[in-house]
Amino acid sequence: EVQLVESGGGLVQPGGSLRLSCAASGFTFSSSAMTWVRQAPGKGLEWVSSLISSGTSTYYADSVQGRFTISRDNSKNTLYLQMNSLRAEDTAVYYCAKGGMSSSGLDYWGQGTLVSVSS
Amino acid sequence: QSVLTQPPSVSAAPGQKVTISCSGSSSNVVNNYVSWYQQLPGTPPKLLIYENNKRPSGIPDRFSGSKSGTSAILGITGLQTGDEADYYCGTWDSSLSAGVFGGGTKLTVL
């Protein structure tokens, strides 16, 4: 059974940092593209970032480019999202998803972790 | 606003059919695969359709996808109250080198 479990969310002040983790199991993590998607309270889905299986190619939404860094540790079956210089508008539930937007879609999703940016 | 345009809401009676459109451009819908997601209240999104018209294992054939030109369509037949959810289309935008979602469509089964 495929499982994606996010952690690391919480309350942070504007300008602060957080690192989200996504522990994956039930599939060959090292062979899968992975994606972060967020959803602000009461709003729609927003693609945040993706990286290919090897981790050598990464992609970011303009809204987070230069502030967020996606990475993976294939030895730990874990996906990360380092978030720096956080803003109020980054407040959202962050979902980890298996796959990429350009291929077979995002076929499995985690339950999400809430990030709140507020003073 | 979103790169992909969806109607904010659609509604139909139980047992009826509904379609949800997703309008884009040559840099996204025309030249890339479109996927569709269902988000029930309080839950993560779930993949309904991938590669324009394919259903993952376990998705009933009441759900279908199609694409023509700059638009993709999600069709749902035999509507059930349990289909009430938000539906999103998504794809890759080759010009932006970014993933894109539609703004979402809220389906109400009257």
Side-chain angles (χ1 to χ4, degrees):
Chain A
E1 179 194 6
V2 172
Q3 285 198 330
L4 298 169
V5 180
E6 302 96 336
S7 61
L11 176 63
V12 62
Q13 292 188 337
S17 298
L18 278 178
R19 187 176 83 156
L20 306 183
S21 299
C22 172
S25 61
F27 65 101
T28 306
F29 179 76
S30 59
S31 299
S32 298
M34 298 294 295
T35 294
W36 287 99
V37 175
R38 69 184 181 184
Q39 187 169 35
K43 302 297 184 182
L45 302 178
E46 180 186 12
W47 174 83
V48 174
S49 182
S50 295
L51 83 168
I52 64 173
S53 56
S54 66
T56 54
S57 292
T58 58
Y59 305 89
Y60 299 94
D62 284 347
S63 57
V64 306
Q65 178 77 48
R67 299 187 300 123
F68 290 11
T69 302
I70 190 172
S71 62
R72 65 194 300 159
D73 186 335
N74 287 340
S75 69
K76 296 182 178 179
N77 286 357
T78 301
L79 177 73
Y80 302 101
L81 186 68
Q82 177 67 44
M83 304 186 296
N84 299 330
S85 303
L86 283 161
R87 306 166 180 167
E89 53 266 35
D90 296 318
T91 294
V93 173
Y94 285 72
Y95 295 103
C96 161
K98 172 180 171 288
M101 301 291 284
S102 61
S103 54
S104 299
L106 307 177
D107 55 358
Y108 291 94
W109 296 63
Q111 289 296 310
T113 186
L114 177 62
V115 172
S116 296
V117 184
S118 174
S119 54
Chain B
Q1 56 267 37
S2 304
V3 171
L4 305 179
T5 301
Q6 297 181 234
S9 63
V10 295
S11 61
Q16 297 301 302
K17 174 183 177 178
V18 71
T19 60
I20 297 172
S21 61
C22 173
S23 178
S25 68
S26 58
S27 63
N28 43 66
V29 171
V30 172
N31 289 302
N32 291 287
Y33 287 127
V34 174
S35 50
W36 288 91
Y37 304 87
Q38 176 193 60
Q39 188 175 32
L40 297 168
T43 69
K46 174 183 177 182
L47 180 65
L48 281 182
I49 298 289
Y50 68 99
E51 292 182 4
N52 304 330
N53 55 18
K54 297 178 181 177
R55 282 178 286 105
S57 173
I59 301 300
D61 58 8
R62 299 188 300 107
F63 295 90
S64 64
S66 64
K67 190 177 83 170
S68 178
T70 59
S71 290
I73 301 288
L74 173 69
I76 311 173
T77 59
L79 278 171
Q80 304 172 1
T81 55
D83 295 332
E84 286 202 334
D86 294 320
Y87 292 84
Y88 296 89
C89 60
T91 186
W92 185 255
D93 190 295
S94 303
S95 294
L96 299 174
S97 290
V100 289
F101 284 104
T105 298
K106 182 175 182 60
L107 169 63
T108 301
V109 181
L110 303 169

Short mmCIF file of all heavy atoms in Angstrom, two decimals, chain B residues 50-101:
data_model
loop_
_atom_site.label_atom_id
_atom_site.label_comp_id
_atom_site.label_asym_id
_atom_site.label_seq_id
_atom_site.Cartn_x
_atom_site.Cartn_y
_atom_site.Cartn_z
N TYR B 50 -6.08 10.46 -15.72
CA TYR B 50 -4.73 10.86 -16.09
C TYR B 50 -4.54 10.65 -17.59
O TYR B 50 -5.30 9.94 -18.23
CB TYR B 50 -3.68 10.10 -15.27
CG TYR B 50 -3.60 8.61 -15.57
CD1 TYR B 50 -2.62 8.11 -16.41
CD2 TYR B 50 -4.50 7.72 -14.98
CE1 TYR B 50 -2.53 6.76 -16.68
CE2 TYR B 50 -4.42 6.37 -15.25
CZ TYR B 50 -3.44 5.88 -16.09
OH TYR B 50 -3.36 4.54 -16.35
N GLU B 51 -3.52 11.30 -18.12
CA GLU B 51 -3.23 11.22 -19.56
C GLU B 51 -4.51 11.46 -20.38
O GLU B 51 -4.81 10.71 -21.31
CB GLU B 51 -2.57 9.89 -19.90
CG GLU B 51 -1.17 9.80 -19.30
CD GLU B 51 -0.45 8.50 -19.66
OE1 GLU B 51 -1.01 7.69 -20.44
OE2 GLU B 51 0.67 8.31 -19.15
N ASN B 52 -5.23 12.48 -20.02
CA ASN B 52 -6.43 12.99 -20.71
C ASN B 52 -7.69 12.15 -20.51
O ASN B 52 -8.77 12.71 -20.33
CB ASN B 52 -6.20 13.12 -22.22
CG ASN B 52 -5.01 13.99 -22.58
OD1 ASN B 52 -4.67 14.92 -21.84
ND2 ASN B 52 -4.37 13.68 -23.70
N ASN B 53 -7.54 10.82 -20.57
CA ASN B 53 -8.76 10.00 -20.61
C ASN B 53 -8.62 8.63 -19.94
O ASN B 53 -9.48 7.77 -20.14
CB ASN B 53 -9.20 9.80 -22.06
CG ASN B 53 -8.09 9.22 -22.93
OD1 ASN B 53 -7.14 8.66 -22.42
ND2 ASN B 53 -8.21 9.37 -24.23
N LYS B 54 -7.57 8.42 -19.18
CA LYS B 54 -7.36 7.11 -18.54
C LYS B 54 -7.79 7.15 -17.07
O LYS B 54 -7.56 8.16 -16.39
CB LYS B 54 -5.89 6.70 -18.65
CG LYS B 54 -5.43 6.53 -20.09
CD LYS B 54 -3.96 6.17 -20.16
CE LYS B 54 -3.52 6.03 -21.61
NZ LYS B 54 -2.07 5.74 -21.72
N ARG B 55 -8.40 6.08 -16.63
CA ARG B 55 -8.84 5.99 -15.24
C ARG B 55 -7.92 5.08 -14.44
O ARG B 55 -7.64 3.95 -14.85
CB ARG B 55 -10.27 5.44 -15.18
CG ARG B 55 -11.35 6.43 -15.52
CD ARG B 55 -12.74 5.79 -15.49
NE ARG B 55 -12.95 4.93 -16.65
CZ ARG B 55 -12.94 3.59 -16.58
NH1 ARG B 55 -12.77 2.98 -15.42
NH2 ARG B 55 -13.13 2.88 -17.66
N PRO B 56 -7.46 5.55 -13.28
CA PRO B 56 -6.68 4.67 -12.40
C PRO B 56 -7.55 3.51 -11.93
O PRO B 56 -8.78 3.58 -11.95
CB PRO B 56 -6.31 5.57 -11.22
CG PRO B 56 -6.52 6.97 -11.71
CD PRO B 56 -7.61 6.90 -12.71
N SER B 57 -6.90 2.46 -11.52
CA SER B 57 -7.61 1.32 -10.97
C SER B 57 -8.50 1.75 -9.82
O SER B 57 -8.09 2.54 -8.96
CB SER B 57 -6.59 0.28 -10.48
OG SER B 57 -7.23 -0.77 -9.81
N GLY B 58 -9.75 1.28 -9.85
CA GLY B 58 -10.67 1.60 -8.77
C GLY B 58 -11.58 2.79 -9.05
O GLY B 58 -12.55 3.01 -8.31
N ILE B 59 -11.30 3.54 -10.08
CA ILE B 59 -12.17 4.66 -10.45
C ILE B 59 -13.27 4.13 -11.38
O ILE B 59 -12.97 3.57 -12.43
CB ILE B 59 -11.39 5.79 -11.14
CG1 ILE B 59 -10.29 6.32 -10.22
CG2 ILE B 59 -12.34 6.92 -11.56
CD1 ILE B 59 -10.77 6.89 -8.90
N PRO B 60 -14.53 4.31 -10.99
CA PRO B 60 -15.62 3.76 -11.81
C PRO B 60 -15.70 4.40 -13.18
O PRO B 60 -15.28 5.55 -13.37
CB PRO B 60 -16.87 4.05 -10.98
CG PRO B 60 -16.48 5.08 -9.99
CD PRO B 60 -15.02 4.97 -9.78
N ASP B 61 -16.27 3.66 -14.14
CA ASP B 61 -16.35 4.17 -15.51
C ASP B 61 -17.43 5.25 -15.67
O ASP B 61 -17.67 5.72 -16.78
CB ASP B 61 -16.55 3.04 -16.50
CG ASP B 61 -17.80 2.22 -16.23
OD1 ASP B 61 -18.59 2.62 -15.36
OD2 ASP B 61 -17.98 1.18 -16.90
N ARG B 62 -18.06 5.63 -14.57
CA ARG B 62 -18.96 6.80 -14.61
C ARG B 62 -18.16 8.09 -14.85
O ARG B 62 -18.73 9.10 -15.26
CB ARG B 62 -19.72 6.95 -13.29
CG ARG B 62 -20.60 5.80 -12.92
CD ARG B 62 -21.47 6.12 -11.71
NE ARG B 62 -20.72 6.43 -10.49
CZ ARG B 62 -20.62 7.67 -9.98
NH1 ARG B 62 -21.21 8.70 -10.56
NH2 ARG B 62 -19.95 7.86 -8.85
N PHE B 63 -16.86 8.02 -14.57
CA PHE B 63 -15.98 9.17 -14.75
C PHE B 63 -15.22 9.00 -16.07
O PHE B 63 -14.64 7.94 -16.33
CB PHE B 63 -14.99 9.30 -13.60
CG PHE B 63 -15.66 9.59 -12.27
CD1 PHE B 63 -16.05 8.56 -11.44
CD2 PHE B 63 -15.89 10.89 -11.87
CE1 PHE B 63 -16.67 8.81 -10.23
CE2 PHE B 63 -16.50 11.17 -10.65
CZ PHE B 63 -16.90 10.13 -9.83
N SER B 64 -15.21 10.04 -16.89
CA SER B 64 -14.50 9.98 -18.16
C SER B 64 -13.82 11.31 -18.44
O SER B 64 -14.23 12.35 -17.93
CB SER B 64 -15.46 9.64 -19.30
OG SER B 64 -16.42 10.68 -19.45
N GLY B 65 -12.78 11.23 -19.26
CA GLY B 65 -12.06 12.45 -19.64
C GLY B 65 -11.85 12.50 -21.13
O GLY B 65 -11.73 11.47 -21.78
N SER B 66 -11.81 13.71 -21.66
CA SER B 66 -11.53 13.90 -23.08
C SER B 66 -10.81 15.22 -23.24
O SER B 66 -10.79 16.06 -22.34
CB SER B 66 -12.82 13.87 -23.90
OG SER B 66 -13.66 14.97 -23.55
N LYS B 67 -10.22 15.39 -24.41
CA LYS B 67 -9.50 16.62 -24.70
C LYS B 67 -9.61 16.93 -26.19
O LYS B 67 -9.51 16.03 -27.03
CB LYS B 67 -8.02 16.49 -24.30
CG LYS B 67 -7.25 17.81 -24.34
CD LYS B 67 -5.81 17.63 -23.87
CE LYS B 67 -4.92 17.13 -24.98
NZ LYS B 67 -3.48 17.18 -24.60
N SER B 68 -9.80 18.20 -26.49
CA SER B 68 -9.84 18.64 -27.87
C SER B 68 -9.32 20.07 -27.93
O SER B 68 -9.91 20.97 -27.31
CB SER B 68 -11.26 18.57 -28.43
OG SER B 68 -11.30 19.04 -29.76
N GLY B 69 -8.25 20.26 -28.65
CA GLY B 69 -7.67 21.60 -28.76
C GLY B 69 -7.24 22.14 -27.42
O GLY B 69 -6.51 21.48 -26.68
N THR B 70 -7.74 23.32 -27.09
CA THR B 70 -7.33 23.98 -25.85
C THR B 70 -8.22 23.64 -24.66
O THR B 70 -8.07 24.24 -23.60
CB THR B 70 -7.33 25.51 -26.04
OG1 THR B 70 -8.64 25.93 -26.41
CG2 THR B 70 -6.32 25.94 -27.10
N SER B 71 -9.14 22.70 -24.83
CA SER B 71 -10.04 22.36 -23.74
C SER B 71 -10.04 20.88 -23.40
O SER B 71 -9.94 20.03 -24.29
CB SER B 71 -11.48 22.77 -24.08
OG SER B 71 -11.62 24.17 -24.08
N ALA B 72 -10.17 20.61 -22.12
CA ALA B 72 -10.37 19.25 -21.63
C ALA B 72 -11.71 19.20 -20.91
O ALA B 72 -12.18 20.23 -20.40
CB ALA B 72 -9.24 18.86 -20.68
N ILE B 73 -12.30 18.03 -20.91
CA ILE B 73 -13.62 17.86 -20.31
C ILE B 73 -13.61 16.66 -19.38
O ILE B 73 -13.11 15.59 -19.73
CB ILE B 73 -14.70 17.62 -21.39
CG1 ILE B 73 -14.76 18.78 -22.38
CG2 ILE B 73 -16.07 17.38 -20.73
CD1 ILE B 73 -15.35 20.04 -21.81
N LEU B 74 -14.19 16.85 -18.20
CA LEU B 74 -14.46 15.74 -17.29
C LEU B 74 -15.95 15.47 -17.34
O LEU B 74 -16.76 16.40 -17.18
CB LEU B 74 -14.05 16.08 -15.86
CG LEU B 74 -14.45 15.06 -14.78
CD1 LEU B 74 -13.63 13.77 -14.94
CD2 LEU B 74 -14.25 15.65 -13.38
N GLY B 75 -16.32 14.22 -17.59
CA GLY B 75 -17.72 13.85 -17.59
C GLY B 75 -18.03 12.90 -16.45
O GLY B 75 -17.22 12.03 -16.11
N ILE B 76 -19.17 13.10 -15.82
CA ILE B 76 -19.61 12.22 -14.75
C ILE B 76 -21.05 11.84 -15.04
O ILE B 76 -21.92 12.71 -15.18
CB ILE B 76 -19.53 12.90 -13.37
CG1 ILE B 76 -18.18 13.56 -13.14
CG2 ILE B 76 -19.80 11.86 -12.26
CD1 ILE B 76 -18.09 14.40 -11.87
N THR B 77 -21.31 10.54 -15.18
CA THR B 77 -22.66 10.07 -15.43
C THR B 77 -23.21 9.39 -14.17
O THR B 77 -22.45 9.09 -13.24
CB THR B 77 -22.69 9.07 -16.59
OG1 THR B 77 -21.84 7.95 -16.25
CG2 THR B 77 -22.19 9.70 -17.87
N GLY B 78 -24.51 9.17 -14.16
CA GLY B 78 -25.14 8.51 -13.02
C GLY B 78 -24.79 9.18 -11.70
O GLY B 78 -24.39 8.52 -10.75
N LEU B 79 -24.98 10.50 -11.65
CA LEU B 79 -24.56 11.26 -10.48
C LEU B 79 -25.12 10.71 -9.18
O LEU B 79 -26.30 10.33 -9.10
CB LEU B 79 -24.96 12.73 -10.64
CG LEU B 79 -24.04 13.60 -11.48
CD1 LEU B 79 -24.68 14.95 -11.74
CD2 LEU B 79 -22.69 13.75 -10.81
N GLN B 80 -24.26 10.71 -8.17
CA GLN B 80 -24.63 10.29 -6.83
C GLN B 80 -24.34 11.42 -5.85
O GLN B 80 -23.46 12.26 -6.11
CB GLN B 80 -23.84 9.03 -6.45
CG GLN B 80 -24.00 7.89 -7.41
CD GLN B 80 -23.04 6.74 -7.12
OE1 GLN B 80 -22.26 6.78 -6.17
NE2 GLN B 80 -23.13 5.69 -7.93
N THR B 81 -25.02 11.42 -4.73
CA THR B 81 -24.77 12.48 -3.74
C THR B 81 -23.33 12.44 -3.26
O THR B 81 -22.75 13.46 -2.91
CB THR B 81 -25.73 12.34 -2.55
OG1 THR B 81 -25.62 11.02 -2.00
CG2 THR B 81 -27.19 12.56 -3.00
N GLY B 82 -22.75 11.25 -3.27
CA GLY B 82 -21.35 11.12 -2.86
C GLY B 82 -20.36 11.74 -3.83
O GLY B 82 -19.16 11.81 -3.52
N ASP B 83 -20.83 12.17 -5.01
CA ASP B 83 -19.95 12.83 -5.98
C ASP B 83 -19.80 14.31 -5.68
O ASP B 83 -19.00 14.99 -6.34
CB ASP B 83 -20.51 12.66 -7.40
CG ASP B 83 -20.53 11.22 -7.87
OD1 ASP B 83 -19.68 10.43 -7.40
OD2 ASP B 83 -21.40 10.88 -8.70
N GLU B 84 -20.57 14.82 -4.71
CA GLU B 84 -20.44 16.23 -4.37
C GLU B 84 -19.03 16.50 -3.85
O GLU B 84 -18.59 15.94 -2.83
CB GLU B 84 -21.47 16.64 -3.31
CG GLU B 84 -22.88 16.77 -3.85
CD GLU B 84 -23.75 17.66 -2.97
OE1 GLU B 84 -23.46 17.76 -1.76
OE2 GLU B 84 -24.73 18.23 -3.49
N ALA B 85 -18.32 17.34 -4.56
CA ALA B 85 -16.90 17.58 -4.26
C ALA B 85 -16.41 18.74 -5.10
O ALA B 85 -17.14 19.26 -5.95
CB ALA B 85 -16.08 16.32 -4.57
N ASP B 86 -15.16 19.10 -4.89
CA ASP B 86 -14.46 20.04 -5.77
C ASP B 86 -13.63 19.24 -6.76
O ASP B 86 -12.99 18.26 -6.39
CB ASP B 86 -13.56 20.97 -4.97
CG ASP B 86 -14.34 21.89 -4.06
OD1 ASP B 86 -15.40 22.40 -4.48
OD2 ASP B 86 -13.89 22.14 -2.93
N TYR B 87 -13.66 19.66 -8.01
CA TYR B 87 -12.94 18.97 -9.07
C TYR B 87 -11.93 19.93 -9.70
O TYR B 87 -12.26 21.08 -10.00
CB TYR B 87 -13.91 18.45 -10.12
CG TYR B 87 -14.78 17.34 -9.59
CD1 TYR B 87 -15.95 17.62 -8.87
CD2 TYR B 87 -14.44 16.00 -9.78
CE1 TYR B 87 -16.74 16.60 -8.35
CE2 TYR B 87 -15.22 14.98 -9.28
CZ TYR B 87 -16.36 15.29 -8.56
OH TYR B 87 -17.13 14.27 -8.05
N TYR B 88 -10.71 19.43 -9.89
CA TYR B 88 -9.63 20.25 -10.43
C TYR B 88 -9.00 19.56 -11.64
O TYR B 88 -8.77 18.35 -11.62
CB TYR B 88 -8.53 20.46 -9.39
CG TYR B 88 -8.95 21.22 -8.17
CD1 TYR B 88 -9.47 20.56 -7.05
CD2 TYR B 88 -8.81 22.61 -8.10
CE1 TYR B 88 -9.85 21.25 -5.92
CE2 TYR B 88 -9.18 23.31 -6.97
CZ TYR B 88 -9.70 22.62 -5.88
OH TYR B 88 -10.07 23.32 -4.76
N CYS B 89 -8.70 20.35 -12.65
CA CYS B 89 -7.87 19.86 -13.73
C CYS B 89 -6.44 20.34 -13.50
O CYS B 89 -6.22 21.33 -12.80
CB CYS B 89 -8.37 20.33 -15.10
SG CYS B 89 -8.42 22.13 -15.32
N GLY B 90 -5.50 19.60 -14.06
CA GLY B 90 -4.10 19.98 -13.89
C GLY B 90 -3.28 19.49 -15.07
O GLY B 90 -3.63 18.51 -15.74
N THR B 91 -2.19 20.19 -15.34
CA THR B 91 -1.29 19.79 -16.40
C THR B 91 0.04 20.51 -16.23
O THR B 91 0.24 21.20 -15.23
CB THR B 91 -1.90 20.09 -17.79
OG1 THR B 91 -1.04 19.55 -18.81
CG2 THR B 91 -2.04 21.59 -18.02
N TRP B 92 0.93 20.30 -17.16
CA TRP B 92 2.22 21.00 -17.17
C TRP B 92 2.14 22.13 -18.18
O TRP B 92 1.54 21.98 -19.24
CB TRP B 92 3.32 20.02 -17.56
CG TRP B 92 4.69 20.60 -17.49
CD1 TRP B 92 5.49 20.99 -18.53
CD2 TRP B 92 5.45 20.85 -16.30
NE1 TRP B 92 6.69 21.47 -18.06
CE2 TRP B 92 6.69 21.40 -16.70
CE3 TRP B 92 5.20 20.67 -14.94
CZ2 TRP B 92 7.68 21.75 -15.77
CZ3 TRP B 92 6.18 21.02 -14.03
CH2 TRP B 92 7.40 21.55 -14.44
N ASP B 93 2.73 23.25 -17.84
CA ASP B 93 2.82 24.36 -18.79
C ASP B 93 4.26 24.45 -19.28
O ASP B 93 5.17 24.75 -18.51
CB ASP B 93 2.39 25.67 -18.15
CG ASP B 93 2.24 26.77 -19.17
OD1 ASP B 93 3.26 27.16 -19.79
OD2 ASP B 93 1.11 27.25 -19.38
N SER B 94 4.44 24.19 -20.57
CA SER B 94 5.80 24.12 -21.13
C SER B 94 6.46 25.49 -21.20
O SER B 94 7.68 25.58 -21.13
CB SER B 94 5.73 23.51 -22.53
OG SER B 94 5.12 22.24 -22.49
N SER B 95 5.70 26.54 -21.32
CA SER B 95 6.27 27.90 -21.38
C SER B 95 6.72 28.35 -19.99
O SER B 95 7.76 28.99 -19.85
CB SER B 95 5.26 28.88 -21.94
OG SER B 95 4.98 28.59 -23.28
N LEU B 96 5.93 28.03 -18.99
CA LEU B 96 6.25 28.41 -17.62
C LEU B 96 7.24 27.44 -16.97
O LEU B 96 7.83 27.77 -15.94
CB LEU B 96 4.98 28.47 -16.77
CG LEU B 96 3.90 29.46 -17.19
CD1 LEU B 96 2.65 29.28 -16.34
CD2 LEU B 96 4.41 30.89 -17.10
N SER B 97 7.37 26.24 -17.55
CA SER B 97 8.10 25.14 -16.89
C SER B 97 7.58 24.96 -15.48
O SER B 97 8.35 24.95 -14.49
CB SER B 97 9.61 25.42 -16.87
OG SER B 97 10.14 25.32 -18.17
N ALA B 98 6.27 24.84 -15.39
CA ALA B 98 5.61 24.76 -14.09
C ALA B 98 4.33 23.94 -14.21
O ALA B 98 3.70 23.90 -15.27
CB ALA B 98 5.29 26.15 -13.57
N GLY B 99 3.95 23.33 -13.13
CA GLY B 99 2.65 22.68 -13.07
C GLY B 99 1.56 23.73 -12.89
O GLY B 99 1.81 24.78 -12.30
N VAL B 100 0.39 23.44 -13.42
CA VAL B 100 -0.72 24.38 -13.29
C VAL B 100 -2.01 23.61 -13.00
O VAL B 100 -2.21 22.50 -13.50
CB VAL B 100 -0.92 25.24 -14.55
CG1 VAL B 100 0.21 26.26 -14.69
CG2 VAL B 100 -1.00 24.38 -15.82
N PHE B 101 -2.85 24.22 -12.17
CA PHE B 101 -4.17 23.68 -11.87
C PHE B 101 -5.23 24.68 -12.31
O PHE B 101 -4.98 25.89 -12.36
CB PHE B 101 -4.34 23.46 -10.36
CG PHE B 101 -3.64 22.26 -9.81
CD1 PHE B 101 -2.47 22.41 -9.08
CD2 PHE B 101 -4.15 20.99 -9.98
CE1 PHE B 101 -1.81 21.31 -8.55
CE2 PHE B 101 -3.51 19.88 -9.45
CZ PHE B 101 -2.33 20.06 -8.74
#
